[in-house]
Amino acid sequence: MKKQYEDTDFDSSLKKLNSDLMWKTKQKQELKNRILTDIENLESQERNKHPILLTRIKKGSVIRKLAYTSIALVILFSLFIGSASSPAMAKVASHIPIIGTFFNDASDEGLKIAGKKGLTQIVDQSSRDNGITLTMNEIFYDGTRLTFGYTQESLFAIGELERPTIEVNGKEINFSSSTSGDFVTPQKYKGMMDINPTEELPEEFDIKIRIDAVGLIPGKWEFEFPVKQSNDVTVIRPQEVKMIEQAQVQIASLKLGPAGTDLAVKVTADEENNKLDPYKLNFYIIDEIGNVLDTVSGSGYGDKENGKEKATLDFLYTPLKEGTKKVRIIPYSIHMSEGREEVSIQLDDQSLPFMLDQGDFGKVLIKDITYLEDKMIVHFDVQSDAIVDNKLLRNPIWLEDANGKNLMVEDNPFAERIKGNSFKQEFATGEKEGLQLKTDKLSKPTMYEEFEIEIP
């Protein structure tokens, strides 16, 4: 029986931050509920008007499709109008992506590098159904990652794509995926989808992509084109196996490319082994001068065979710096506490410096706070013997106003490493009163024996 998971590198603190980042989710769900309610009302009215005729019309009829499309567009129009003053809508620009430059302004460091180096493949295929045009603009594939860059155009773009069906050389593949994007205009959405197959793909292949729904709008959008791997990739396949909590852990491969660093790990453990859950195992990658690579995504799957749990884990990180000669790969796991213990400091009349206690993980020393007209900048040090990532995804701090609203900057919600364990973070407020700086008390990661890999 196969077991699959995605995005292992999240704990309760990061989930809290992620829930704030996804502030639109509630709006989207309310929108969906309103669409479905209005569709049912419309169909009910039609049944009452024409009871005999409509008993012969199937649920997937033209009436239902038109209802989906027209009502969704009307409600989306009102949602856009009502959101015109929101931070997300303030980003709407009139520029249109130029062919061959789709990834150049991506927030993902690896894709931005690939775009500027001209390593992407131009597809420029469009498919239209139910008033929505999807265009597959560019793709990037180098063995470490497969990413599609697409645009969606309609009277009012929806943005949200259903999970696609993907065939490689005529065979459907299993994969995990993640998406991101922005509205260029209310009629145009520019998105990216990262595909992480459960099995290694060949260097060249034909791909077929089918999308069955955009948001709640059903339809059929298909694309078919050849894919060729970028040659600028180094693949290392170490043979070393380490025992971690009575489980065998092997680095199956380390792939180094301009757009990312891919780590594949195989874990074999007895089914009765309750000391280590393979799917909760994570890894830091650190170069020889101490730079920590950021985790972009993580996924995995496994089978139980002859009393053994055999798991395959895959992690995507930011690219290694050019000239790196050696990396340390450090396995770790995190004990998840049953409940959150929040720490809060009221900033009114608070003198500097002061401490935020993060429990077993360590402390945060707040050194300086700068109040500007439209934002607040906090400079601080993390005092911990644990490894911390560049954005403090595992041990974040955040700012709330007197009403409990998270004052993160939507375009830049994370901390930024300055040097060593010194960080700064911006918050979206011009206020000086009623503010609270918060964090969580966290457990310290359990670290295991590291792998050391030479880079050719």
Side-chain angles (χ1 to χ4, degrees):
M1 179 175 142
K2 284 198 171 183
K3 181 177 180 181
Q4 188 167 345
Y5 77 102
E6 294 182 32
D7 294 333
T8 60
D9 201 27
F10 289 92
D11 63 3
S12 59
S13 297
L14 184 52
K15 287 177 181 176
K16 162 78 167 59
L17 183 58
N18 188 54
S19 68
D20 291 324
L21 282 170
M22 300 302 292
W23 63 275
K24 289 184 183 177
T25 301
K26 186 176 179 181
Q27 280 183 305
K28 287 182 179 179
Q29 188 57 51
E30 290 175 352
L31 171 62
K32 290 180 181 180
N33 292 339
R34 289 162 64 190
I35 291 172
L36 290 172
T37 300
D38 287 342
I39 288 170
E40 294 301 329
N41 289 340
L42 179 61
E43 289 183 336
S44 176
Q45 291 171 13
E46 290 299 318
R47 283 194 297 270
N48 292 336
K49 290 179 182 177
H50 309 288
I52 298 176
L53 175 63
L54 288 177
T55 54
R56 300 178 184 176
I57 298 177
K58 295 181 180 179
K59 266 195 170 182
S61 65
V62 174
I63 288 179
R64 189 172 182 88
K65 287 186 179 180
L66 287 175
Y68 265 121
T69 306
S70 59
I71 295 173
L73 293 178
V74 169
I75 297 175
L76 277 170
F77 177 73
S78 63
L79 183 61
F80 270 108
I81 296 299
S83 305
S85 59
S86 73
M89 291 305 295
K91 297 190 302 179
V92 172
S94 60
H95 69 279
I96 303 300
I98 300 171
I99 291 176
T101 64
F102 192 95
F103 297 114
N104 287 19
D105 60 350
S107 58
D108 185 307
E109 178 188 352
L111 291 176
K112 185 182 294 185
I113 292 171
K116 291 184 176 179
K117 286 188 173 183
L119 301 175
T120 63
Q121 296 173 233
I122 297 170
V123 179
D124 199 27
Q125 281 188 19
S126 294
S127 179
R128 182 176 176 84
D129 196 7
N130 281 339
I132 299 174
T133 299
L134 293 182
T135 300
M136 196 64 62
N137 300 83
E138 293 182 41
I139 66 159
F140 176 73
Y141 174 62
D142 69 349
T144 69
R145 64 191 304 177
L146 173 61
T147 304
F148 307 134
Y150 68 91
T151 49
Q152 177 198 141
E153 295 177 271
S154 58
L155 183 56
F156 290 98
I158 299 170
E160 184 178 324
L161 292 185
E162 289 294 308
R163 173 186 166 92
T165 299
I166 298 179
E167 294 181 8
V168 169
N169 292 335
K171 181 182 178 182
E172 186 173 339
I173 64 169
N174 190 21
F175 62 92
S176 60
S177 64
S178 61
T179 59
S180 61
D182 287 296
F183 288 94
V184 179
T185 69
Q187 295 79 32
K188 192 180 188 85
Y189 181 84
K190 176 182 176 182
M192 289 181 288
M193 179 177 289
D194 268 311
I195 302 298
N196 187 21
T198 57
E199 297 181 8
E200 198 165 309
L201 298 179
E203 292 186 4
E204 294 185 40
F205 54 88
D206 292 321
I207 194 168
K208 184 176 181 179
I209 304 167
R210 189 185 78 243
I211 298 168
D212 295 323
V214 177
L216 285 176
I217 312 301
K220 186 178 180 181
W221 295 267
E222 289 188 330
F223 306 91
E224 194 167 355
F225 49 88
V227 177
K228 185 175 181 179
Q229 178 179 309
S230 165
N231 292 325
D232 198 12
V233 176
T234 300
V235 180
I236 304 169
R237 301 188 187 276
Q239 300 298 316
E240 187 177 5
V241 176
K242 293 188 182 295
M243 297 299 296
I244 296 177
E245 302 288 9
Q246 300 178 6
Q248 295 181 352
V249 179
Q250 179 186 20
I251 306 298
S253 67
L254 182 66
K255 298 179 182 178
L256 313 175
T261 304
D262 181 83
L263 175 67
V265 180
K266 294 187 180 298
V267 183
T268 303
D270 291 333
E271 284 188 57
E272 296 79 18
N273 187 340
N274 56 11
K275 293 184 177 180
L276 179 71
D277 183 344
Y279 303 100
K280 292 184 179 179
L281 195 60
N282 293 275
F283 298 83
Y284 291 115
I285 297 184
I286 305 174
D287 68 17
E288 68 262 43
I289 61 174
N291 294 317
V292 182
L293 299 191
D294 288 329
T295 305
V296 177
S297 64
S299 65
Y301 64 96
D303 286 306
K304 291 182 179 180
E305 298 178 6
N306 301 321
K308 299 283 187 181
E309 177 79 36
K310 295 186 177 182
T312 299
L313 313 178
D314 193 89
F315 301 89
L316 178 64
Y317 301 82
T318 49
L320 271 176
K321 292 185 180 296
E322 290 187 16
T324 299
K325 299 298 182 184
K326 183 188 299 183
V327 295
R328 296 157 57 210
I329 299 177
I330 305 174
Y332 70 95
S333 62
I334 293 177
H335 172 71
M336 302 296 291
S337 56
E338 292 184 2
R340 293 178 56 221
E341 185 177 350
E342 195 174 86
V343 178
S344 177
I345 298 290
Q346 188 77 30
L347 295 186
D348 293 351
D349 302 320
Q350 175 67 49
S351 58
L352 293 166
F354 64 89
M355 288 282 193
L356 280 173
D357 184 10
Q358 293 191 323
D360 292 340
F361 194 92
K363 299 180 185 296
V364 175
L365 174 65
I366 307 298
K367 299 189 299 183
D368 183 64
I369 298 177
T370 302
Y371 295 90
L372 301 177
E373 184 177 346
D374 60 347
K375 64 182 176 181
M376 188 178 96
I377 305 173
V378 179
H379 289 260
F380 59 96
D381 289 345
V382 176
Q383 298 181 347
S384 174
D385 56 4
I387 297 172
V388 293
D389 62 87
N390 298 314
K391 297 179 180 179
L392 300 188
L393 298 181
R394 186 159 302 284
N395 60 315
I397 66 171
W398 66 93
L399 185 71
E400 292 183 3
D401 65 14
N403 297 318
K405 179 183 177 182
N406 192 319
L407 299 172
M408 64 182 179
V409 177
E410 187 179 337
D411 289 339
N412 185 26
F414 304 113
E416 175 188 345
R417 190 191 296 272
I418 300 172
K419 186 178 181 181
N421 272 11
S422 293
F423 294 82
K424 74 171 183 178
Q425 187 162 354
E426 297 183 359
F427 298 98
T429 182
E431 301 295 326
K432 295 184 180 180
E433 297 180 354
L435 303 176
Q436 297 181 76
L437 202 57
K438 294 188 173 186
T439 191
D440 281 325
K441 286 193 174 183
L442 307 164
S443 59
K444 190 163 60 174
T446 301
M447 316 288 284
Y448 303 107
E449 184 181 1
E450 66 184 52
F451 295 83
E452 195 170 281
I453 298 178
E454 302 283 343
I455 307 299

